[in-house]
Amino acid sequence: MENQQEIDRRCIAVLVDNEAGVLARVIGLFSGRGYNIDSLTVTEVDAEKHTSRITVVTTGTTMILEQIIAQLDRLVPVQQVFDMTNDYESVERELALVKVKGTGDKRIEALRVSEAFRARVIDTTLESFVFELTGAPSKLDAFVELMRPLGLVDVSRTGVVAIARGADGVLND
Amino acid sequence: MSQAILKEQSLDTEPRTMSGAEAVIQALLDQGVDVIFGYPGGAVLPIYDALFEQHGIRHVLVRHEQGAVHAAEGYARSTGKPGVVLVTSGPGATNAVTGLADALLDSIPIVCFSGQVATHLIGSDAFQEADTVGITRPCTKHNWLVKDAESLPRVIHEAFYVATNGRPGPVVVDIPKDVQFDTLAYSGPTNVQHRTYRPRLDPDQSQVQDAIDLIANAKRPLFYTGGGIINSGPEASRLLREFVRLTGFPITSTLMGLGAYPASESQWLGMVGMHGTFEANNAMHDCDVMINIGARFDDRVTGRLDAFSPDSKKIHVDIDPSSINKNVLVDVPVIGDCGRVLGEFLRVWKNAGHAPKASDLEAWWAQINEWRSRDCLKFEQSGDVIKPQYAIQRLYELTKNRETYISTEVGQHQMWAAQHYHFEEPNRWMTSGGLGTMGYGLPAAVGIQMAHSDALVIDIAGEASVLMTMQEMSTAVQYRLPIKIFILNNQYMGMVRQWQQLLHGGRYSHSYTESLPDFVKLAEAYGAHGIRCEDPSRLDDAINEMIDIDRPVLFDCVVDQMENCFPMIPSGAAHNDMILGTEDEEPREVSDAGKVLV
């Protein structure tokens, strides 16, 4: 319980009943109580059971982070809350679509950098590329920064999703 | 209307065909609801039609939807059963919002049904359309918009389950008008359990053991109890009394928890917090083991957090895991229902053969008795003006031997009531603790009297608060509810004026009411009885007159305008830094950090 004032990052996965308004409840909890949302992703992961998985990355003191998890857990349509940062060894990934416009050397350099990052070209014209890139958020940040002087015109990112390493899953509990 | 379809309690599993509106009423009957508080309108007409000329449920027509929710709260808090509200769409629902927020902060089980425009009109800015589930989402425990008739019975039964299980709270079921007309196959509340919402009731045994170890070795212990005990039910109060007696420890309580432990017992220290007693607050500050059962370390209780009970080990019993470590870090959290946890505490305590160690506690009790000798609630009734404290004291003395239920509004009178009216039983004290809603007490009294027709129900009020929901006098008269509205009239919003005096240089900005109504004439206009008393020597007679009249009474008790409510922990101060309000005390500056607090 030391370092009460230190700000930590936490990745939290929330399994919810996929019913109307459930995302509003989660977002309303964060805005109403003044918690941060660094990234948020949500989609249905089990159509039969109408279960959606929300992954939210947040920051705060230990006390606030514990409070966020407890507050999420008491929402009625929330099935389970997982602290992916503290309670699991987990992998985090994010997907980005990055559009770069340019010709000549800049265009060649953009393509070369994208190869180094193992990005895929998913659309091209004679003066633009759209790259698709997955990885940890920091890798995506670095890629976007490198593309900025090379003609970056658009970025779309999914936000972080996370899953625990190892053989155990949570959906069939 | 097909009244024959509705049965008094249909616990049969065989589905029956009926309309959505009939299903609402049938579900209420099946949930054992006997009273609802409501106000009709376009979007709930089918449900009102289903209510017409049926006799299983009494409907109380309020004069404003806020009053309906407060009345339902009064009903719920005095009975332990959920309160039920029925309002129309749009303004009907938005008017109910204050009551819902009040019930959320005080953890009161309320099931509120609202009408909604027809499903095909939702989102079209139709007449009397409001996004009710959107508006009420942050002020309910949960809410539902029911878009198809088939799911209506399930949702209603779920709504009762969610409102009453775990930490209780208000829920809203929003029902579009076409869904009320549609036919459906109704089935009763068999196997009502929410798919995912399963609050934990029984405590973890290792947590119980850790708590008992701390309790058994305490030298300066203190019970700090709250509304969780009341919500858990009368058995929790009984177990609390037994455990407190067995341990010999002192006990204090929050505003919400008054009555769980009898105020007449010698181990009772009075209320804790901003206007709590000197002995309770000092004991909170100096204790070595704090046993919090069903309280939530609210800011009215803790005062300055970094100076809050610095040397104590803290045990926190709460049914809501999010209450743990929210404001104050605790050493031993115990998640569970207060009653069940107290049962476990008693079992483990007795099995281990623990007994009260009077010698260990001797020094602690000596210290407490020294604090007590300050007699922090003393006041002087002299001269020809009634002191508000004196009025409460006389009210208490003249009503304590009856079956009396007290509600209050919010402000000075509320704190004086908490200090000078003493409660021996749970569920007798209904006050807006968390939200601090002026206008709560009068409609709450309506709800209490509906549940306890022969009891003496008194709203201890301020003249400013009571005007916020005064229209419910009309409700009281219509239903012949002999509620007593005991107004401590100082012509000021007293608590606002007190803070302006203490924090804002005595600049009484807009806290004085110039043109108050003549409350006696107002009572008569409503068809109620009015009494005015300004003379201390006449007060007892006037109170007795109020008690003896079997009709609603507005009692205008004219009191000292400038009296302040003490003792007081000034905002931003610690528990052992109280203003006692005695003559020998210097006026105190409030810190800048304190001034920003409410």
Side-chain angles (χ1 to χ4, degrees), chain A residues 14 16-18 22-24 26-27 39-45 51-56 158-161:
Chain A
V14 193
V16 299
D17 293 343
N18 185 17
V22 65
L23 184 60
V26 171
I27 292 172
S39 121
L40 177 83
T41 70
V42 53
T43 198
E44 190 169 74
V45 291
T51 297
S52 286
R53 182 166 176 143
I54 297 172
T55 308
V56 56
T158 58
V160 173
V161 291

Side-chain angles (χ1 to χ4, degrees), chain B residues 27 122 133 157 163 182 194 200 258 291 324 369 398 432 437 500:
Chain B
I122 289 177
V133 288
H157 298 313
D182 283 350
H194 195 269
R200 171 172 198 158
L258 296 177
I291 309 145
I324 306 292
N369 286 328
L398 296 170
S432 172
T437 310
Q500 287 174 333

Side-chain angles (χ1 to χ4, degrees), chain B residues 60-61 63 442 446 470-483 522-529 550-554:
Chain B
V60 177
L61 176 66
R63 301 302 187 259
L442 199 165
V446 167
M470 178 55 82
Q471 75 284 347
E472 302 306 334
M473 276 308 279
S474 177
T475 310
V477 171
Q478 178 176 343
Y479 294 89
R480 301 175 190 280
L481 303 172
I483 57 172
L522 187 59
E524 286 162 6
Y526 278 117
H529 184 78
D550 191 26
R551 279 201 293 153
V553 176
L554 269 186

Side-chain angles (χ1 to χ4, degrees), chain B residues 56-248:
Chain B
I57 297 170
R58 288 178 295 163
H59 175 274
V60 177
L61 176 66
V62 295
R63 301 302 187 259
H64 184 285
E65 289 85 351
Q66 182 188 349
V69 187
H70 292 327
E73 287 184 276
Y75 177 91
R77 291 173 73 162
S78 64
T79 62
K81 300 196 307 189
V84 180
V85 176
L86 175 58
V87 299
T88 193
S89 64
T94 56
N95 278 346
V97 164
T98 300
L100 294 169
D102 190 90
L104 183 69
L105 278 188
D106 284 348
S107 306
I108 309 302
I110 298 292
V111 180
C112 175
F113 296 91
S114 55
Q116 181 57 276
V117 301
T119 45
H120 70 277
L121 292 173
I122 289 177
S124 71
D125 297 330
F127 178 65
Q128 293 196 329
E129 183 189 357
D131 175 9
T132 300
V133 288
I135 290 168
T136 60
R137 196 175 288 125
C139 59
T140 53
K141 182 174 172 185
H142 196 58
N143 60 18
W144 294 261
L145 169 62
V146 184
K147 282 186 161 172
D148 61 290
E150 280 306 318
S151 58
L152 187 58
R154 176 186 57 78
V155 168
I156 295 174
H157 298 313
E158 242 178 58
F160 275 87
Y161 177 83
V162 170
T164 54
N165 280 270
R167 181 179 182 169
V171 300
V172 166
V173 182
D174 198 25
I175 311 173
K177 196 170 180 182
D178 54 332
V179 172
Q180 299 170 33
F181 278 120
D182 283 350
T183 52
L184 56 87
Y186 177 86
S187 38
T190 47
N191 193 23
V192 178
Q193 205 176 31
H194 195 269
R195 202 157 69 88
T196 54
Y197 183 67
R198 307 269 171 83
R200 171 172 198 158
L201 301 178
D202 290 309
D204 181 284
Q205 281 304 320
S206 70
Q207 292 175 336
V208 170
Q209 190 58 54
D210 289 351
I212 292 296
D213 288 346
L214 271 181
I215 293 169
N217 294 303
K219 299 283 183 285
R220 300 188 309 279
L222 178 66
F223 283 101
Y224 149 47
T225 61
I229 307 243
I230 312 275
N231 272 337
S232 178
E235 178 66 2
S237 289
R238 196 191 63 71
L239 293 167
L240 174 72
R241 291 161 191 221
E242 185 182 351
F243 194 44
V244 171
R245 183 172 50 78
L246 281 179
T247 56

Side-chain angles (χ1 to χ4, degrees), chain B residues 306-498:
Chain B
D306 61 3
F308 175 69
S309 194
D311 302 321
S312 63
K313 294 277 187 196
K314 298 174 185 71
I315 298 162
H316 187 183
V317 178
D318 204 300
I319 199 164
D320 179 358
S322 77
S323 282
I324 306 292
N325 294 339
K326 182 170 68 180
N327 301 326
V328 171
L329 285 174
V330 297
D331 302 277
V332 180
V334 185
I335 310 286
D337 169 73
C338 287
R340 298 207 193 184
V341 173
L342 276 162
E344 282 305 293
F345 278 4
L346 273 163
R347 190 182 61 77
V348 174
W349 176 269
K350 286 175 182 168
N351 280 353
H354 291 304
K357 293 177 212 155
S359 56
D360 281 10
L361 297 174
E362 221 167 81
W364 181 228
W365 272 112
Q367 171 66 72
I368 287 170
N369 286 328
E370 192 189 315
W371 288 324
R372 265 180 176 164
S373 68
R374 295 288 290 268
D375 194 12
C376 67
L377 296 177
K378 71 166 177 276
F379 62 91
E380 221 169 300
Q381 174 58 52
S382 58
D384 50 8
V385 179
I386 299 172
K387 288 278 183 194
Q389 301 95 319
Y390 178 72
I392 305 276
Q393 191 187 65
R394 294 316 304 159
L395 184 71
Y396 169 67
E397 291 298 335
L398 296 170
T399 60
K400 66 180 179 186
N401 293 323
R402 295 167 182 266
E403 189 196 354
T404 307
Y405 291 79
I406 300 289
S407 69
T408 76
E409 311 291 335
V410 168
Q412 282 184 324
H413 67 274
Q414 177 191 29
M415 293 297 109
W416 281 317
Q419 291 172 339
H420 296 277
Y421 203 102
H422 307 294
F423 295 91
E424 300 293 307
E425 300 295 333
N427 305 99
R428 296 300 185 92
W429 164 246
M430 272 50 67
T431 191
S432 172
L435 195 66
T437 310
M438 293 171 71
Y440 169 86
L442 199 165
V446 167
I448 299 162
Q449 192 84 72
M450 278 304 292
H452 308 274
S453 52
D454 297 326
L456 177 61
V457 180
I458 304 172
D459 169 30
I460 297 176
E463 83 291 337
S465 281
V466 79
L467 283 173
M468 287 199 174
T469 50
M470 178 55 82
Q471 75 284 347
E472 302 306 334
M473 276 308 279
S474 177
T475 310
V477 171
Q478 178 176 343
Y479 294 89
R480 301 175 190 280
L481 303 172
I483 57 172
K484 318 299 182 195
I485 312 303
F486 189 75
I487 304 170
L488 297 182
N489 183 352
N490 57 11
Q491 294 193 49
Y492 278 104
M493 293 152 214
M495 195 60 91
V496 172
R497 189 205 54 73
Q498 176 169 343

